[in-house]
Structures are given as structure tokens and as C-alpha cells.
Amino acid sequence: MTRDLTIAEIRLTPVLVADAPLLNVQGVHQPYTPRLIVEIVTADGITGLGETYGDTQYLEPARRLAEQLTGRSVMDVNGMFALDLGVDAARLEAGVDAGGLRGRQSADKVRLSVLSAFEVACLDAQGKALGLPVHALLGGKVRDAVEYSAYLFYKWAAHPAGVAAEPDDWGAALDPAGVVAQARQLKERYGFTSFKLKGGVFPPDEEIAAVRALAEAFPGHPLRLDPNGAWSVATSLKVAEELADVLEYLEDPTLGTPAMAEVSAGTRVPLATNMCVTTFGEIQEAFTRDAVQVVLSDHHYWGGLRNTQHLAAICAAFGVGVSMHSNTHLGISLAAMTQVAATVPNLHHACDSHYPWQSEDVLSERPVFTGGRVAVSDAPGLGVALDRDALARLHRRWAEDDGALRERDDAAAMRAGEPGWRTPVLPRW
Ligand SMILES: O=C([O-])C(=O)C[C@H](O)[C@@H](O)C(=O)[O-]
Ligand SMILES: [Mg+2]
């Protein structure tokens, strides 16, 4: 049967998703975080799904892109990447995104973060039209399941009193015992066998103690520590030295390629990044200076699943490892991450995912972790389906918000619990 894959309609639905009080160097996660759900509907009624960041700066370019796409084909993904989304470079170039957690901000990164959701939605629609999984459109899977690591956070038991939030049953984790208890829960519930601790929250000695406690509780399990650039070069080297025997890698101990290169030269612990190499333009300096040994791709800001494959190929050429970074995300993005990760031959580290922290989703069935892995779906497209009621509920929350939660701001969320909190100047230690 010949299908009409002309784009007839695009629905953009911003949502606010419940999030736990997870601590990082900037502050604490908001009780609700913005995401954008993209639905691309073809003339003959196929709907492709995509998801990306939902802060206001992504919504305008997404609307502009949606307007231009109607009447084009879901097969014309390359053409889509050539469209002008009108991202205002002057407003962005000097800044950082999400307080710096996603590296240096740029108009191109915003553009790619928007395009990524549309690319995923086009691939989902193509797959549904052809009866093929997305991984087949990307060249085929080289594994049947993708491994994820448990993403451990220092955490309050609840959001501050008086802040509207959904309760969670994970409890607090504010010391080594709490971190180990959280790791046990994540292992019991999802079977993870490697662990990443989000650091940069407490003085380095406390975080070293937490990693040591994890190493004792889970002998032989790969461990990572990621303080999001909170440390000086000297502190980074000290931590690397103290944890050299247990770390799989140290992630963004310090800010920027020159400082990472200095740390890298002084330790045998591999360094990973989702902060100093976040665009193709940052690769050359970092790789030629041997500043990083593992790049954590994020298909949102790298510009989609095909760009993630390009990044992986470049990493392979330079002998640099590749894995995946994660921010708060829903099941559409987890499905997209799993589909592309299935196609990357040189993926040798478990990927990050915040998904276990998300109690809410817009899918009718949540993706499942078994033994720390997500099975690669062979169903057409991404293999996921929308729960329209859930989407409407999470959108209503966004629509009713007075604007306070529509931009992710972990420092502002922190001030609800610690009124004097200021975003720390990095390096903090
Ligand atoms: O460096 C990282 O892995 C991240 O930035 C991941 C997340 O953004 C995490 O730090 C968070 O959301 O607190
Ligand atoms: Mg990181």
C-alpha cells in the first residue's frame, strides 16, 4: 500500500512532570519539571512521538518549526534540519543551560534540542508506516537490551514544607549510609549493577566516603562520581587519587576542557563528560588534548539519534569511549535512547537515565528495567503509545502554573528550603 507521509498536523504539548528533591551542585530539583511532547501526525493518520526539554526557550522555536513542517514529509529529516527556527543567538550565547548542567549554552544547541524531538517523532512515524522499529531505520541493532546505571542522588526525604509536590517513597540520602540504602533500593527494584553518584553537593571528603561505602557494599560493581565541575584541578586530582581503585570513571570533576586536560594528565582514572564536550565544535580541542576518555551523549542537545550515531563514530575514530547522559525525562525519550543505543557498536558503558525517579509518564505502558537493562523493542517505531489522559493531566498542571516552574531553576527550588542559597561559584571546592 502506498502511504501518504505528508505531515498534516503537529501537536506540541508542554507538561510539568513530578520530580523528586534530588540535590546537585546548583541546588535541588524542582517539584515539577518542564518537558515538551511532540506529536507529528501524517495525512493518513500515523502519529510519531518525540520529547525534549520544555523550558520556555525551547517552546517558541518548536512552534516555529511546527509551522514550517506542515505539508512536508516525515521522510525529509535532512530538510527539516536546514530550516530556520529563529533562535535568538544574542540572548543565549553568553549563558549556560540549566545552571550549567548541560554545558555551554548556544543558539545552535537550543535549535538541536528542539530538532531532536521532531527527528525522533519523524523516525517513530516512519517506523510505524513501514512496520519497522526505529533501530532498523538507523541501520539495525547490535544488541537486544541496553544497560543503564543506577543514578544515585543525595536527596531530601521530601520537598520543603509548604511547596506543592508529589510525595515519593525513596526516603532521604544525605550521607554514605543513605546513599548505599538508595543504591540497594534501585538495585532491588530495577536490577542495576553499576552506580553513578551525583556529587558536588557535599565537601569532597564526604563524597569520597560515600563512593567508598558503595564499593564496600557492591564489590566489583562499576562506580562513577559526577560533581558537575564543582572542584578545582587540585581537588579533582586528590579525589581521583583516593578513588582510583574503585572508579569506572570520574565525570566532569572540573569545568572546561583546559582544566579537564590538566586533570586527565595527572590521573589514570578515565574522565567522562557531558559538560565540556556537548557539541561537535567542542570535540577537536578536547580530543587532541586528551581531556576526556568518555563522552556522554544526550540525543536531545546533540541533535537527535542520527547525530548520536555520528558522535559515536567520531569517538570510535579517536579511541574515546561513548555512553549516554540523562536529565529528567519521560518514557518517549527512554525509548529513543534505547533504540539508538542499540545501534552503537562502541557503547561499552551503562547509560545514565533519570527515569526511575519519574513516577509519572505520558505513556500507556512504562518501559521496564530488568537486570538494569531495557529490552530493545522490535515493534514499529519507538514501540510506545501515548496515554492521552495522562498527557492532558500533566499539561493542565503546566497551563495552571503561574510561570514559576516553567523554567528549570534548581537554585530557586533550593531557596524554598534554604532561603539564603546562592548558586555556588565554581570551583566550589
Ligand atoms: O551531569 C550530568 O550528568 C547531569 O547534569 C545530569 C542531570 O542534569 C543531573 O545533574 C540533575 O538533573 O541534577
Ligand atoms: Mg554529568
Side-chain angles (χ1 to χ4, degrees), residues 296-312:
L296 305 172
S297 169
D298 181 313
H299 78 267
H300 304 95
Y301 56 67
W302 280 91
L305 307 189
R306 298 166 322 138
N307 273 4
T308 300
Q309 291 184 306
H310 298 161
L311 170 65

Side-chain angles (χ1 to χ4, degrees), residues 17 92 115 166 211 240 285 360 368 374 396 410:
V17 186
L92 295 171
L115 280 163
E166 311 302 313
V211 174
E285 185 193 356
E360 299 178 329
V368 176
V374 176
R396 216 164 26 248
D410 294 6

Side-chain angles (χ1 to χ4, degrees), residues 204-221:
D205 282 348
E206 293 183 39
E207 299 189 349
I208 289 171
V211 174
R212 282 260 156 239
L214 286 169
E216 258 175 50
F218 304 98
H221 288 47

